[in-house]
Amino acid sequence: MTAAQRVLLRPITMGLLLQSLFLLLFLLGSCLHPASAFPKGCYPSEEEGLKTFRCSNAQLTEVPRDIPNDTNKLYLDFNQIPFLPRDAFRDLPLLLELDLSHNAIARVESGAFQGLAEHLHSLDLSSNRLVSVSKDAFSNLKAKVNLSNNPWLCDCRLQELIRAVELAADSSGGIVCDSSTQEEHIGKAFLQVIADTDFCNVYKKTTDIAMLVTMFGWFAMVISYLVYYVRQNQEDARRHLEYLKSLPSKQRRSEESSTISTVV
């Protein structure tokens, strides 16, 4: 091969090497992309034949979006998640276990667990900041729920929630009244309290009494107005009749008949 041919082949060889390098980098990037999409501190694994996704102690402030949709067990414990929005786990139809313990969850929106009713059998919300949650947030959920170690307000709303869910074994004693509509219940286990107190019945009685007082007030106002109206008309009629008596007899008769018909 002549020197001229070698000079001509050199750019072609370099071009082929660059193309091969770019192809290698593209393939490597495609392989690494799924892993790099996970939040820092999160990783997939397989435990006892179940696909698991762990984000424990990953400093998360929200539920991650890039969780594999074939996940069976999801660990989001020991983070700083403040609330659970509607459809937070909508894309996880095969989820069996969900651990949200030791977060800062203070609010659970209605529909937060929508889509999980079919398979989910364990939900851990212990050690959060839950004070009051509507039973609708757990609508149709069949999972065993751990609600212990939260600063609960013991009232009718909590009573309805406890009756709507199935509590995890040995977790009921950890549902303690941090505050209550009745001060003597503070610091006591909620299930112990509702054994003697029906919060919803007390609330219903209070509401009924308030309605009765309101209705009585309106009734008294109406009666007072009617009495005033009748007395006022009687006084006006009396004055008018006295005035008619002072008139000449013919004019008096015509106006008396007019006044009487008006009063009637």
Side-chain angles (χ1 to χ4, degrees), residues 102-120:
H102 297 90
N103 273 279
I105 301 170
R107 181 163 57 93
V108 181
E109 291 186 356
S110 180
F113 304 110
Q114 191 168 327
L116 300 182
E118 193 70 26
H119 296 94
L120 192 71

Side-chain angles (χ1 to χ4, degrees), residues 8-27:
L8 289 173
L9 286 173
R10 190 176 298 166
I12 298 173
T13 305
M14 289 296 295
L16 291 172
L17 286 172
L18 287 172
Q19 286 182 357
S20 300
L21 180 61
F22 285 142
L23 181 60
L24 180 62
L25 289 173
F26 174 77
L27 292 174

Side-chain angles (χ1 to χ4, degrees), residues 60-65 67 74 76 81 83-85 88-89 100:
L60 298 176
T61 57
E62 62 180 1
V63 177
R65 298 180 181 178
I67 303 171
L74 176 59
L76 298 173
I81 300 172
F83 79 102
L84 300 177
F89 308 97
L100 290 159

Side-chain angles (χ1 to χ4, degrees), residues 15-259:
L16 291 172
L17 286 172
L18 287 172
Q19 286 182 357
S20 300
L21 180 61
F22 285 142
L23 181 60
L24 180 62
L25 289 173
F26 174 77
L27 292 174
L28 186 61
S30 298
C31 293
L32 293 177
H33 177 71
S36 64
F38 300 145
K40 184 179 179 181
C42 300
Y43 61 91
S45 64
E46 190 164 322
E47 300 176 7
E48 300 175 351
L50 297 173
K51 293 188 177 181
T52 304
F53 194 75
R54 287 191 175 272
C55 287
S56 302
N57 201 18
Q59 299 182 349
L60 298 176
T61 57
E62 62 180 1
V63 177
R65 298 180 181 178
D66 298 314
I67 303 171
N69 58 14
D70 59 350
T71 297
N72 303 126
K73 298 170 72 175
L74 176 59
Y75 293 88
L76 298 173
D77 51 319
F78 290 95
N79 286 288
Q80 291 95 45
I81 300 172
F83 79 102
L84 300 177
R86 183 179 178 85
D87 294 327
F89 308 97
R90 180 183 57 185
D91 299 323
L92 301 172
L94 303 180
L95 200 61
L96 301 174
E97 296 181 20
L98 175 57
D99 190 347
L100 290 159
S101 63
H102 297 90
N103 273 279
I105 301 170
R107 181 163 57 93
V108 181
E109 291 186 356
S110 180
F113 304 110
Q114 191 168 327
L116 300 182
E118 193 70 26
H119 296 94
L120 192 71
H121 62 70
S122 176
L123 171 61
D124 194 345
L125 282 165
S126 63
S127 301
N128 277 282
R129 298 178 185 173
L130 296 171
V131 175
S132 183
V133 180
S134 170
K135 66 178 181 178
D136 296 334
F138 299 87
S139 180
N140 299 321
L141 205 61
K142 300 175 183 177
K144 293 181 179 179
V145 185
N146 188 344
L147 298 172
S148 61
N149 299 320
N150 282 281
W152 289 109
L153 166 63
C154 291
D155 61 358
C156 179
R157 203 177 195 202
L158 180 58
Q159 182 172 312
E160 289 180 338
L161 171 61
I162 296 300
R163 288 176 175 173
V165 301
E166 182 180 356
L167 296 177
D170 302 322
S171 70
S172 60
I175 303 173
V176 177
C177 300
D178 188 71
S179 57
S180 175
T181 53
Q182 300 182 36
E183 191 174 347
E184 64 269 20
H185 297 148
I186 296 174
K188 295 182 180 179
F190 185 66
L191 291 191
Q192 175 188 345
V193 170
I194 61 175
D196 302 317
T197 305
D198 188 338
F199 284 94
C200 296
N201 192 38
V202 169
Y203 174 78
K204 185 176 183 299
K205 284 181 178 177
T206 305
T207 305
D208 290 345
I209 291 171
M211 287 182 65
L212 284 172
V213 169
T214 303
M215 289 174 64
F216 179 79
W218 279 106
F219 183 73
M221 287 177 62
V222 170
I223 294 299
S224 299
Y225 176 77
L226 288 174
V227 170
Y228 169 79
Y229 179 80
V230 170
R231 285 181 177 177
Q232 188 67 30
N233 281 356
Q234 285 177 343
E235 183 66 21
D236 290 344
R238 185 182 64 79
R239 289 175 182 172
H240 193 62
L241 287 172
E242 288 178 355
Y243 166 74
L244 291 175
K245 288 177 182 179
S246 64
L247 295 176
S249 59
K250 188 179 283 188
Q251 183 180 357
R252 186 173 60 197
R253 282 196 211 98
S254 64
E255 294 212 9
E256 276 182 351
S257 60
S258 175
T259 301

